[in-house]
């Protein structure tokens, strides 16, 4: 049937069946008793007269019977909570299984197996209950939410697909999966949806609420949810780890500091545990002991690593949730930072006319940094690839294309040092629009006699200069500056009058780092280029912000990697030996989601490589129990929700709200009863009281 | 070889006892030939004093009441009412509908063709029992009684007689007459009236399962001819109360079209129709000053007949007083 025909299902099918049976009983009896018993009768004359008189009365009786039956039917069906849907084909129903294969599915159960394996059993049992040919659709709720099996009547295949699923180190997005399972107007068969998850905190972390606008569509399906897991289990997680930048990539025997943050919940006894660190080759490069005191729920462990380790995997012994027992860590890259200097050089080479870009280039010369130069006006037309740090000396000469390229690079991990140029700061509007800096800048620069503060802030960015920064800064004079007003930025250099001389900010829209100076490093603005601070300041700035930018190159699992247009055409090679290779598109994005945690390698066409860490968001792996409130709210959207086994603890079972058909049906039933009452009175008054003839 | 008839088996002793105090009275004056207990229109030759009337000159002095003349010095003639015997004709319907019976055969009952075949106490058995009782009563009070069993035509006819063997002949006829076919009461009454020479008492025993208007002319004719007709309507209790349940195909025993009906649904309407038809029949009977007796075939014959006789005797006495 191409067009499909309307059918109805019910929230309380038993009531509907009872109503139909009750209403149809008189009709069934009538049909069954249609076979007359033959009876010899003296004369049918009186019967004929009776039937003739009864003809009108029989019509009345039929009307009354119809009214009563329809009233019973309407009231019964109304109370049963009808849900309208349409039907097509031969299948009477279809089963949609939303199964949580995200990180929380890896939770180990006491009796063996995992939460996911238990859910797989439940799903297979649901399939066993189907009639042959009834279609099954399976949706994996782990990111990216995927329909892993389109509706098929091949139940063996469905079971195979479900059994082949494994818990993935990705967040779960149950609402998104439920949205995929919502029936729409073209859904023509009765749909059962089973939402199978442990409903731990991690499973609801991504999204906890259902769109109330789904309500109408949701009520066309029957929803069954697995009972949320409420038992409290002990779990320790590595939630964060950072690798300090090497003091010098070429320095001998320098060590690096790895800091690992661990949290635990459940019982909190005093105990010790071992933490193991492996490098990119999988070799154990360090172990450390984490000592928990009784009652503590979080500790930070510091581990010393060889300076050559720029990326590593930190792991602890697995427990109830193995997905949060390891984390990938990225430090600064092994190869020299690639710096793009955006500016123009002075033609004659006279010291007093050297541009800021010339001075910066000179400052960076005596390092292992790879410096390229680019004209600001041509940046938008000939974008550079593989840049770690951008030093923009002439922002006033950047066009819109240039700003856009910089913003894109920033969003994907590049760092930038920005400095004013010229007297007019009109360029700031474009910078503010594209970069979302955490400060504001005065429209024009001011002149005067300014000195750097004798005691500079202790920022992590310039931590390596430590006390020398104060001494070297004291000698610097500034005769022209631009006033910066910090909004959410960190001050890394300070004038004597407490005005910021340099600010750092990590824009919210990306993982890049932005540093702005209040003056340009050229003699028209300051004598800094002639001072000893110039070289270490810029070298450290570049290295530090590059390190932060590289560490920011952390990919989250479950979503495609976005590495920026600088990585366009590169390939991303997954950890381990399974040969996962993801190609990057024109904008440096992968087509598929990253689904493996660990250290990935980004390889460019020139043979260069860079490590990236793929991490599972720690909260997405949480196996703490959830209060019943979110799921109770789900019930309000999904309508009547059935729970497998028992109602969810703390969750007041969702109110079985009457469907849109309930009240009309109940009203129709009432109207029919009133009609029946009026009609029967009319019939009784017309008939009068029958008298019996009792001869003799 | 058929078993010899046991006529006594057709008249129950209790019926006899119940009817013993009564006499069967006709409403009309009877022109009988013999001496009996019924008033005759011919006066002067009987022994029963009727009334006085003033003497008119020229009249015979034979019936002058001399005692009144001696006491009051006035001339009165004595009038006498002749008492004579009554001709009673019992018309019994032997159509198929009379074969209906929902009660088991009564113990000690001699049986009829219908009852024996149905293995039940049929309406015809009930009619036979009433007929036998009435015949016995008539013969006891020296009336002449005859029997006519009819269907579409007369099936059996026992001519009027007051002889000793009359009752046995009637019982014999009732016990053996075949019961079946359709009934034609009008023709039967016509034939009956043709066989009667003077006003008679006619009992018609039937279920009257035909339109009451059919009887109107016949009853009017009977009244015109001076006959006193008593319609005895005999119905089985099932017909009266219609306790049938379920969906039935009702086969007409007289060959009419069968009907299918839900008994419960049709019950009230049926009983209404029965009541209406009964009222029609009574109206037709009363319209010609005849009598109607309703009989439930399951009930005993004696009380119903006793009530009828009592009623008629009371009416007779009231008539005499006036």
């Amino acid at each position: 049937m191409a067009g499909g025909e309307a059918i109805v299902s019910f929230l309380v099918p038993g009531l509907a069946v009872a109503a139909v049976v009750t209403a149809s009983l008189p009709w069934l009896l009538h049909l069954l008793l249609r076979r007359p018993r033959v009876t010899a009768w003296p004369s049918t004359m009186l019967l004929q007269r009776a039937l003739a008189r009864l003809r009108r009365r029989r019509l009345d009786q039929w009307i009354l019977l119809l009214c009563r039956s329809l009233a019973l039917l309407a009231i019964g069906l109304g109370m049963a909570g009808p849900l309208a849907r349409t039907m097509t084909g031969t299948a009477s129903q279809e089963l949609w299984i939303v199964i949580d294969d995200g990180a929380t599915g890896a939770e180990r159960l006491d009796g063996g197996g995992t939460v996911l394996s238990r859910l797989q059993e439940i799903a297979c049992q649901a399939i066993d209950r189907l009639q042959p040919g009834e279609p099954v659709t399976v949706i994996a709720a782990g990111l990216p939410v995927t329909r892993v099996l389109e509706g098929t009547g091949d139940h063996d295949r469905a079971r195979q697909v479900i059994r082949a699923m494994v818990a993935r180190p990705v967040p779960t997005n149950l609402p998104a999966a439920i949205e995929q399972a919502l029936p729409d107007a073209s859904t023509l068969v009765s749909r059962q949806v089973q939402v199978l998850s442990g409903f731990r905190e991690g499973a609801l972390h991504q999204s906890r609420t259902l769109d109330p606008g789904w309500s109408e569509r949701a009520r066309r399906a029957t929803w069954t949810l697995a009972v949320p897991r409420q038992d409290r289990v002990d779990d320790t997680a590595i939630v964060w780890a950072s690798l300090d930048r090497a003091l010098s990539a070429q320095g001998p025997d320098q060590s690096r500091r790895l800091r690992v943050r661990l949290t635990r919940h459940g019982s909190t006894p005093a105990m010790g545990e071992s933490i193991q660190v492996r490098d990119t080759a999988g070799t154990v490069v360090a172990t450390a002991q984490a000592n928990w005191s009784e009652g503590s729920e979080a500790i930070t462990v510091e581990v010393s690593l060889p300076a050559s380790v720029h990326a590593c995997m930190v792991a602890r012994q697995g427990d109830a949730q193995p997905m949060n027992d390891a984390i990938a860590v990225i430090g600064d890259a092994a190869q020299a930072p690639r710096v793009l200097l955006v500016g123009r050089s002075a033609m004659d080479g006279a010291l007093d006319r050297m541009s800021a870009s010339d001075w910066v280039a000179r400052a960076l010369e005596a390092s292992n940094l790879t410096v390229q130069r680019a004209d600001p006006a041509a940046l938008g037309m000939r974008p550079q690839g593989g840049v770690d740090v951008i030093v923009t000396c002439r922002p006033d000469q950047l066009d819109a294309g240039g700003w856009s390229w910089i913003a894109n690079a920033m969003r994907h991990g590049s760092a930038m040092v920005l400095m004013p140029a010229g007297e007019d700061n009109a360029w700031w509007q474009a910078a503010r629009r594209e970069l979302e800096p955490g400060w504001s800048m005065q429209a024009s620069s001011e002149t005067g006699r300014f000195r750097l503060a004798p005691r500079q802030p202790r920022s992590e960015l310039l931590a390596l200069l430590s006390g020398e920064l104060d001494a070297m800064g004291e000698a610097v004079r500034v005769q022209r500056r631009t006033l910066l007003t910090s909004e959410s930025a960190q001050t890394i250099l300070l004038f004597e009058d407490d005005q910021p001389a340099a600010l750092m900010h990590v824009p919210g829209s990306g993982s890049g780092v932005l540093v702005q100076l209040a003056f340009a490093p050229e003699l028209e603005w300051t004598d800094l280029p002639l001072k000893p601070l110039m070289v270490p300041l810029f070298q450290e700035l570049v290295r530090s912000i590059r390190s932060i930018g590289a560490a920011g190159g952390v990919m989250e699992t479950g979503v495609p990697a976005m590495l920026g247009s600088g990585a366009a055409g590169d390939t991303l090679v997954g950890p381990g030996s399974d040969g996962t290779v993801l190609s990057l598109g024109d904008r440096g994005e992968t087509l598929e989601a990253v689904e493996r945690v660990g250290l990935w390698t980004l390889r460019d066409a020139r043979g260069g490589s860079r490590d990236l860490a793929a991490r599972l968001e720690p909260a997405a792996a949480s196996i703490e129990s959830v209060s019943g409130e979110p799921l109770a709210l789900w019930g309000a959207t999904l309508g009547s929700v059935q729970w497998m086994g028992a109602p969810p603890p703390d969750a007041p079972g969702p109110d079985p709200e009457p469907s849109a058909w309930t009240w009309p049906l109940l009203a129709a039933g009432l109207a029919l009863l009133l009609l029946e009452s009026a009609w029967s009175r009319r019939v009784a008054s017309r008939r009068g009281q029958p008298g019996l003839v009792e001869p003799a | 070889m058929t078993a010899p008839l046991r006529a006594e088996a057709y008249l129950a002793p209790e019926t006899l006892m119940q009817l013993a105090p009564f006499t069967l009275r006709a409403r009309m004056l009877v022109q009988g030939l013999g001496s009996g207990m019924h008033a005759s229109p011919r006066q002067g030759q009987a022994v029963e004093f009727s009334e006085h009337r003033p003497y008119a000159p020229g009249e015979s002095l034979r019936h002058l009441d001399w005692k009144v003349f001696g006491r009051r010095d006035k001339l009165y003639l004595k009038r006498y009412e002749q008492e004579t015997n009554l001709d009673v004709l019992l018309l019994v319907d032997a159509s198929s509908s009379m074969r209906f019976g929902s009660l088991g055969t009564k113990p000690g009952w001699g049986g009829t063709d219908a009852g024996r075949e149905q293995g039940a106490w049929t309406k015809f058995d009930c009619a036979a029992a009433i007929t036998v009782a009435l015949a016995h009563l008539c013969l006891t009070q020296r009336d002449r009684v005859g029997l006519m069993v009819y269907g579409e035509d007369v099936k059996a006819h026992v001519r009027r007689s007051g002889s000793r063997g009359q009752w046995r002949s009637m019982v014999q006829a009732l016990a053996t007459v075949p019961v079946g076919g359709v009934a034609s009461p009008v023709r039967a009454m016509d034939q009956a009236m043709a066989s009667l020479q003077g006003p008679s008492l006619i009992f018609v025993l039937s279920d009257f399962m035909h339109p009451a208007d059919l009887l109107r002319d016949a009853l009017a004719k009977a009244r015109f001819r001076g006959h006193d007709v008593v319609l005895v309507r005999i119905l089985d209790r099932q017909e009266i109360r219609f306790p049938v349940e379920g969906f039935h195909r009702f086969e007409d025993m007289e060959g009419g079209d069968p009907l299918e009906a839900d008994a419960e649904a049709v019950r009230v309407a049926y009983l209404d129709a029965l009541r209406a038809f009964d009222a029609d029949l009574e109206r037709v009977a009363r319209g010609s000053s005849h009598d109607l007796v309703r009989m439930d075939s399951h009930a005993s014959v004696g009380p119903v007949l006793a009530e009828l006789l009592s009623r008629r005797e009371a009416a007779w006495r009231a008539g005499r007083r006036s």
Side-chain angles (χ1 to χ4, degrees):
Chain A
M1 63 184 93
E5 72 184 57
I7 64 163
V8 172
S9 70
F10 299 91
L11 300 177
V12 192
L15 253 179
V17 171
V20 171
V21 168
T22 309
S24 62
L25 209 56
W27 302 89
L28 287 173
L29 288 175
H30 175 76
L31 290 174
L32 289 174
L33 298 177
R34 283 300 293 178
R35 280 187 175 175
R37 282 177 278 173
V38 176
T39 303
W41 200 251
S43 169
T44 54
M45 181 188 72
L46 290 180
L47 282 171
Q48 273 175 343
R49 292 186 181 186
L51 285 174
R53 292 179 59 187
L54 201 61
R55 204 159 288 142
R56 174 65 182 272
R57 205 173 295 171
R58 283 171 75 188
L59 183 63
D60 291 336
Q61 296 296 336
W62 281 113
I63 291 171
L64 285 175
L65 179 60
L66 196 65
C67 285
R68 288 166 189 158
S69 297
L70 289 178
L72 275 173
L73 196 65
I75 291 172
L77 295 184
M79 290 174 72
L83 297 168
R85 66 197 67 193
T86 51
M87 184 177 73
T88 190
T90 55
S92 58
Q93 65 170 344
E94 60 180 12
L95 175 64
W96 284 57
I97 297 172
V98 173
I99 191 163
D100 178 6
D101 65 337
T104 54
E107 179 186 348
R108 294 186 176 119
L109 300 175
D110 288 341
T114 63
V115 167
L116 178 62
S117 63
R118 179 72 54 81
L119 300 177
Q120 286 167 323
E121 283 175 31
I122 293 172
C124 289
Q125 286 166 5
I127 292 171
D128 292 343
R129 287 192 291 273
L130 291 177
Q131 297 295 319
E134 288 180 335
V136 182
T137 302
V138 181
I139 298 172
L143 290 180
V145 174
T146 314
R147 204 174 289 189
V148 293
L149 180 70
E150 285 291 347
T152 175
D154 185 348
H155 294 175
D156 288 337
R157 183 163 160 257
R159 280 185 279 263
Q160 282 173 6
V161 167
I162 288 171
R163 288 187 178 122
M165 294 175 81
V166 292
R168 295 176 295 138
V170 295
T172 298
N173 193 337
L174 285 169
I178 285 172
E179 186 180 15
Q180 286 202 13
L182 289 173
D184 53 28
S186 64
T187 303
L188 301 176
V189 294
S190 166
R191 180 175 294 185
Q192 273 189 52
V193 184
Q194 294 206 345
V195 183
L196 305 177
S197 172
F199 293 108
R200 292 295 204 181
E201 276 289 353
L204 298 175
H205 166 73
Q206 191 81 11
S207 179
R208 299 175 81 88
T209 55
L210 302 181
D211 185 348
W214 297 349
S215 179
E216 188 181 344
R217 290 168 63 195
R219 282 157 202 269
R220 295 181 192 160
T222 308
W223 296 87
T224 308
L225 271 61
V227 175
R229 291 181 56 72
Q230 292 292 310
D231 52 328
R232 189 171 166 81
V233 295
D234 295 346
D235 181 46
T236 302
I238 301 176
V239 294
W240 165 84
S242 73
L243 186 58
D244 287 351
R245 186 170 63 85
L247 290 177
S248 166
Q250 295 176 332
D253 301 328
Q254 296 285 350
S255 65
R256 310 182 71 163
R257 187 178 55 168
L258 172 69
R259 287 182 296 167
V260 182
R261 182 74 171 170
L262 295 104
T263 61
R264 63 178 179 173
H265 63 83
S267 59
T268 54
M271 59 175 285
E273 65 171 312
S274 175
I275 291 175
Q276 209 170 52
V277 183
R278 293 174 185 271
D279 63 11
T280 51
T283 308
V284 177
V285 292
T287 56
Q289 188 72 11
N291 294 312
W292 293 92
S293 59
E294 186 171 0
S296 68
E297 292 186 333
I299 57 171
T300 302
V301 178
E302 294 196 356
V303 187
S304 287
L305 298 180
S308 60
V309 176
H310 62 275
C312 59
M313 284 294 297
V314 184
R316 57 177 296 280
Q317 190 177 3
D319 55 11
Q321 170 55 295
M323 290 285 184
N324 55 16
D325 292 328
I327 194 167
V329 188
I330 293 287
D332 55 348
Q335 73 272 27
R338 293 162 295 183
V339 182
L340 180 68
L341 205 52
V342 182
R344 287 175 178 163
S345 61
M347 299 303 291
D348 56 4
L351 279 181
D352 57 343
R353 285 196 292 273
M354 279 178 64
S355 67
S357 61
D358 292 334
W359 287 111
V360 173
R362 288 186 60 176
L364 298 180
E365 268 177 6
S367 70
N368 65 337
L369 303 173
T370 305
V371 181
Q372 297 175 20
R373 300 188 70 155
D375 188 275
L379 191 61
M381 291 181 286
R382 292 193 294 276
Q384 308 289 313
V387 174
D388 297 314
V389 178
I390 306 161
V391 181
T392 306
C393 301
R394 294 302 301 267
D396 56 325
Q397 293 178 345
L398 283 169
D399 58 11
W403 281 114
S404 176
W405 180 87
I406 288 174
N408 189 44
M410 292 280 294
R411 273 195 289 274
H412 299 103
S414 294
M416 184 169 80
V417 179
L418 186 64
M419 57 197 69
E423 292 185 2
D424 185 11
N425 292 331
W427 57 271
W428 173 247
Q429 299 306 322
R432 189 176 182 92
R433 186 172 57 248
E434 294 287 348
L435 305 179
E436 300 174 25
W439 58 85
S440 58
M441 194 171 75
Q442 210 169 40
S444 58
S445 56
E446 63 175 5
T447 55
R449 296 176 65 85
F450 310 109
R451 299 177 62 180
L452 292 182
R455 183 166 179 77
Q456 293 296 324
R458 294 291 179 262
S459 69
E460 195 160 345
L461 195 70
L462 301 175
L464 284 178
L465 297 179
S466 65
E468 294 177 22
L469 181 62
D470 296 341
M472 290 191 288
E474 207 170 352
V476 175
R477 300 289 181 273
V478 176
Q479 61 270 17
R480 187 173 165 193
R481 69 178 183 183
T482 297
L483 282 178
L484 304 174
T485 306
S486 173
E487 292 164 355
S488 58
Q490 182 186 0
T491 303
I492 56 175
L493 275 179
L494 198 62
F495 284 112
E496 199 176 31
D497 59 357
D498 285 340
Q499 288 295 322
L503 293 173
M504 183 192 79
H505 178 63
V506 178
S509 58
S511 55
V513 183
L514 176 64
V515 170
Q516 178 163 2
L517 298 174
F519 52 90
E522 58 187 36
L523 296 179
E524 190 183 342
W525 289 68
T526 175
D527 60 0
L528 173 66
L530 306 175
K531 300 296 180 185
L533 180 60
M534 179 68 185
V535 173
L537 176 64
F538 273 89
Q539 290 200 4
E540 189 58 21
L541 266 180
V542 167
R543 286 205 178 93
S544 287
I545 63 174
R546 190 261 184 160
S547 175
I548 294 173
V554 174
M555 303 180 294
E556 287 188 359
T557 55
V559 292
M562 302 288 288
L563 301 178
S565 55
D570 295 353
T571 52
L572 198 54
V573 181
S577 55
D578 67 347
T580 305
V581 176
L582 303 179
S583 298
L584 299 173
D586 293 341
R587 298 165 63 186
E589 80 289 356
T590 58
L591 295 177
E592 302 113 80
V594 175
E595 295 188 16
R596 293 199 60 183
V597 292
L599 295 167
W600 290 64
T601 305
L602 178 67
R603 291 187 178 148
D604 60 29
R606 296 182 295 275
S609 66
R610 174 184 162 200
D611 289 318
L612 294 169
R615 287 181 184 173
L616 168 65
E617 190 180 359
S622 171
I623 55 172
E624 287 193 73
S625 56
V626 178
S627 69
E629 189 182 351
L631 297 182
L633 293 175
W634 283 21
T637 300
L638 299 179
S640 177
V641 172
Q642 296 171 17
W643 300 93
M644 291 175 183
D650 303 325
D655 295 332
E657 290 183 15
S659 76
W661 286 26
T662 296
W663 293 117
L665 277 170
L666 290 177
L670 194 63
L672 283 164
L673 283 179
L674 290 172
L675 178 65
E676 189 273 345
S677 173
W679 197 273
S680 59
R681 275 186 202 175
R682 184 182 164 190
V683 168
S685 65
R686 196 166 53 213
R687 187 168 57 195
Q689 293 300 316
L692 294 180
V693 179
E694 289 283 3
Chain B
M1 183 178 176
T2 54
L5 180 71
R6 286 180 60 248
E8 298 74 21
Y10 290 84
L11 186 57
E14 62 267 23
T15 307
L16 275 179
M17 287 177 63
Q18 285 161 345
L19 299 183
F22 302 103
T23 53
L24 178 59
R25 299 283 182 182
R27 287 179 178 169
M28 73 297 179
L29 298 176
V30 180
Q31 293 178 320
L33 295 176
S35 174
M37 60 186 299
H38 302 282
S40 167
R42 294 185 295 239
Q43 293 186 354
Q45 298 173 13
V47 292
E48 188 74 11
F49 172 75
S50 173
E51 58 184 355
H52 283 104
R53 68 171 174 84
Y55 173 75
E59 287 186 309
S60 170
L61 297 177
R62 183 180 174 188
H63 296 294
L64 192 70
D65 192 334
W66 295 105
K67 289 181 182 176
V68 173
F69 178 72
R71 284 200 295 271
R72 298 193 178 185
D73 198 19
K74 286 182 179 176
L75 293 172
Y76 283 95
L77 290 178
K78 286 196 284 188
R79 289 179 62 88
Y80 294 89
E81 190 176 80
Q82 185 182 35
E83 289 191 344
T84 184
N85 55 355
L86 175 68
D87 279 354
V88 178
L89 181 61
L90 297 158
L91 276 173
V92 181
D93 178 2
S95 65
S96 293
S97 63
M98 296 296 284
R99 297 171 70 90
F100 184 78
S102 61
L103 188 67
T105 309
K106 289 188 176 180
W109 171 247
T112 63
D113 171 68
R116 279 189 290 271
E117 191 171 310
Q118 300 288 322
W121 174 259
T122 64
K123 292 193 283 186
F124 185 79
D125 287 288
C126 181
I130 294 170
T131 305
V132 167
L134 286 172
H136 186 270
L137 184 65
C138 293
L139 291 170
T140 305
Q141 59 191 37
R142 292 186 298 164
D143 289 333
R144 294 191 305 169
V145 63
L147 171 68
M148 189 176 281
V149 182
Y150 71 94
E152 195 166 12
D153 211 336
V154 174
K155 293 185 174 184
H157 186 195
V158 180
R159 291 185 180 282
R160 292 185 311 283
S161 170
S163 67
R164 287 186 177 180
Q166 180 69 358
W167 185 75
R168 181 168 287 272
S169 302
M170 292 173 68
V171 170
Q172 177 76 34
L174 289 168
T176 57
V177 70
V179 181
V182 296
S184 180
V186 176
R187 181 188 287 187
M189 286 192 69
D190 282 346
Q191 291 182 353
M193 285 188 284
S195 69
L196 295 171
Q197 286 146 9
S200 302
L201 178 57
I202 304 171
F203 284 88
V204 184
L205 296 97
S206 171
D207 53 10
F208 298 106
M209 284 298 171
H210 29 71
D213 287 343
L214 280 180
L215 290 172
R216 189 187 307 275
D217 292 344
L219 291 176
K221 193 186 292 180
R223 171 53 56 202
F224 179 75
R225 293 188 180 178
H227 301 302
D228 184 7
V229 179
V230 179
L231 303 177
V232 182
R233 174 169 203 175
I234 302 168
L235 293 178
D236 188 89
R237 190 164 291 175
Q238 274 210 339
E239 291 178 276
I240 296 168
R241 296 189 179 172
F242 202 70
V244 190
E245 291 181 349
F247 188 62
H248 288 260
R249 178 185 174 85
F250 294 99
E251 302 274 9
D252 193 324
M253 293 174 73
E254 294 198 359
D257 293 335
L259 284 177
E260 288 185 357
D262 179 9
E264 284 92 343
V266 82
R267 178 176 298 126
V268 173
Y270 169 84
L271 293 175
D272 282 351
L274 177 59
R275 186 184 60 160
F277 183 68
D278 194 70
D280 279 352
L281 190 62
E282 183 165 19
R283 189 167 55 252
V284 168
R286 299 273 183 252
S288 300
S289 302
H290 297 304
D291 211 348
L292 173 67
V293 179
R294 302 178 184 90
M295 180 73 202
D296 175 358
S297 68
H298 289 201
S300 297
V301 168
V304 179
L305 286 183
E307 194 271 337
L308 168 70
L309 296 176
S310 167
R311 181 152 42 98
R312 292 183 74 88
E313 191 158 338
W316 180 77
R317 289 188 192 285
R320 278 187 63 105
R321 276 197 298 275
S322 63

